[in-house]
Amino acid sequence: MEMRNTSSAGENYISYSQIFCSAKDLAGLHKELITLSVFNTTLAFIAFIGNALILFALHKETSLHSPTKLLLRNLSVSDLLVGVISEPLVVAYWMSVVFKQWSICRLTLGSTFISTYILGPVSLLTLTSISVDRLLALTLGLRYRQVVTLKRTWVIVISFWVLSSIAATMYLWDYHIPLWYGNIVTPLCLVTSIFSYTKIYLKLRHHRVQVQGHINQGAHLNIERHKKAVSSAMWLQFTLVLCYLPAGLVGELWANSKFSSSLYLARQCASTLVFLNSSLNPLLYCWKIKEVRQAVKDTIRQLFSSSS
């Protein structure tokens, strides 16, 4: 969301809000904003229902290691809050532009920015932690449960929320600060995830070579179990990158171009793709994690049986 350089934090905020809450610059985009609002309202409902089911299923699931389950639950919580907070706020922002309610526009614009810059980094940091968790599970062996404890994982998860919340609320002082935070966190997380999955791939390939030619059913089953867990984490990571990449590209264009209605609309569409990630993750949970899929099915059956 890089804009123009100004002389003070107050002028930064005024410049930012004037561009995004402008009757002159956004007058011809009302139909597009209404369409985006309808689509994001649907996505918000899906994100809420889907992630609520996943959280309930993870609560019932007992076979997953507790720290791993905590990371998955944290990801679902951040996705659920996107559906409950961020998407309704962005819809309210778009509707305030359509109906020219500029005081509401400025309020919802700031609230959307803060919530997005809290929940987005938390999701990215959590997915990175999942990749590191899978690497440690493979490399540490029996020491894994001693090193990766529930208490340590709680400390890590809480630190994600605290750091992201502090950085995002700095928007009220200077909106560049959360941008800098995002510019640091994003490449750091991507490099860490790529390193982790590369190491996992090489380690699994090495194990496969060792197992070949030897009748070792236990080692084979252990490799297959790790492959399934890593596959699930990689699909979550891959989907996030696909959904976030257009926003990064549009952000670079925005930072180096003059304002135009088409670039503004591209920015709003890219934001919708970011929100879409929160609706897709529950589907990936059900597709890639058999235990979660079964728990969700059981929950849905119980809901229908109780209602009937």
Side-chain angles (χ1 to χ4, degrees):
M1 293 185 179
E2 194 71 37
M3 310 288 283
R4 64 192 71 167
N5 291 326
T6 51
S7 59
S8 68
E11 290 176 350
N12 275 332
Y13 178 78
I14 292 171
S15 172
Y16 180 77
S17 61
Q18 280 179 343
I19 293 177
F20 281 84
C21 296
S22 169
K24 178 182 177 182
D25 295 329
L26 307 179
L29 298 175
H30 290 179
K31 290 183 179 179
E32 291 84 352
L33 293 180
I34 291 172
T35 301
L36 284 173
S37 297
V38 173
F39 184 61
N40 276 265
T41 299
T42 305
L43 288 183
F45 178 77
I46 295 173
F48 172 72
I49 297 297
N51 286 288
L53 284 172
I54 294 299
L55 285 171
F56 190 78
L58 289 172
H59 176 72
K60 294 172 62 177
E61 174 55 39
T62 58
S63 63
L64 292 172
H65 186 40
S66 296
T68 303
K69 186 161 70 170
L70 174 59
L71 292 174
L72 292 174
R73 290 171 76 173
N74 190 57
L75 183 60
S76 288
V77 167
S78 64
D79 286 336
L80 185 145
L81 291 177
V82 167
V84 172
I85 299 175
S86 294
E87 288 188 278
L89 281 173
V90 78
V91 169
Y93 160 66
W94 288 330
M95 288 295 95
S96 69
V97 172
V98 171
F99 292 104
K100 301 179 181 179
Q101 300 294 319
W102 303 121
S103 58
I104 297 176
C105 181
R106 288 186 288 272
L107 176 63
T108 53
L109 175 65
S111 301
T112 301
F113 188 99
I114 291 172
S115 67
T116 301
Y117 271 85
I118 293 174
L119 300 176
V122 166
S123 296
L124 188 56
L125 288 165
T126 303
L127 278 170
T128 304
S129 299
I130 291 173
S131 70
V132 175
D133 174 69
R134 293 299 86 208
L135 177 61
L136 292 175
L138 185 61
T139 57
L140 293 179
L142 296 176
R143 293 181 54 240
Y144 167 69
R145 291 180 179 269
Q146 298 175 349
V147 175
V148 183
T149 63
L150 185 60
K151 182 178 180 180
R152 289 173 178 170
T153 308
W154 267 113
V155 172
I156 292 171
V157 166
I158 292 172
S159 68
F160 291 164
W161 285 96
V162 171
L163 288 174
S164 298
S165 297
I166 292 173
T169 51
M170 287 295 101
Y171 163 86
L172 300 174
W173 179 60
D174 185 344
Y175 74 87
H176 290 94
I177 294 177
L179 295 178
W180 293 332
Y181 174 69
N183 290 336
I184 293 171
V185 167
T186 301
L188 181 62
C189 287
L190 291 178
V191 169
T192 303
S193 296
I194 292 170
F195 172 80
S196 297
Y197 288 125
T198 302
K199 290 284 289 183
I200 289 169
Y201 170 76
L202 295 174
K203 194 76 173 177
L204 287 175
R205 189 175 68 172
H206 178 68
H207 284 340
R208 193 181 303 115
V209 171
Q210 287 183 325
V211 171
Q212 285 177 350
H214 299 82
I215 301 175
N216 192 335
Q217 187 68 19
H220 177 71
L221 291 174
N222 189 47
I223 291 175
E224 290 301 314
R225 184 169 63 251
H226 279 298
K227 284 175 63 178
K228 289 180 180 179
V230 170
S231 174
S232 303
M234 287 189 68
W235 270 103
L236 290 168
Q237 186 84 45
F238 178 69
T239 304
L240 181 138
V241 170
L242 281 183
C243 291
Y244 277 66
L245 183 60
L249 296 176
V250 173
E252 286 300 315
L253 285 174
W254 185 276
N256 298 287
S257 305
K258 293 183 179 180
F259 175 85
S260 67
S261 58
S262 59
L263 188 56
Y264 171 86
L265 184 60
R267 188 177 182 84
Q268 306 313 308
C269 292
S271 298
T272 297
L273 282 178
V274 171
F275 294 140
L276 174 64
N277 180 249
S278 298
S279 300
L280 292 177
N281 280 342
L283 300 177
L284 294 175
Y285 279 117
C286 293
W287 176 38
K288 301 300 295 183
I289 306 177
K290 180 181 178 181
E291 296 82 1
V292 172
R293 180 169 65 250
Q294 187 58 48
V296 168
K297 287 181 179 179
D298 294 339
T299 301
I300 293 174
R301 288 195 196 99
Q302 291 175 6
L303 289 174
F304 277 104
S305 61
S306 61
S307 62
S308 60

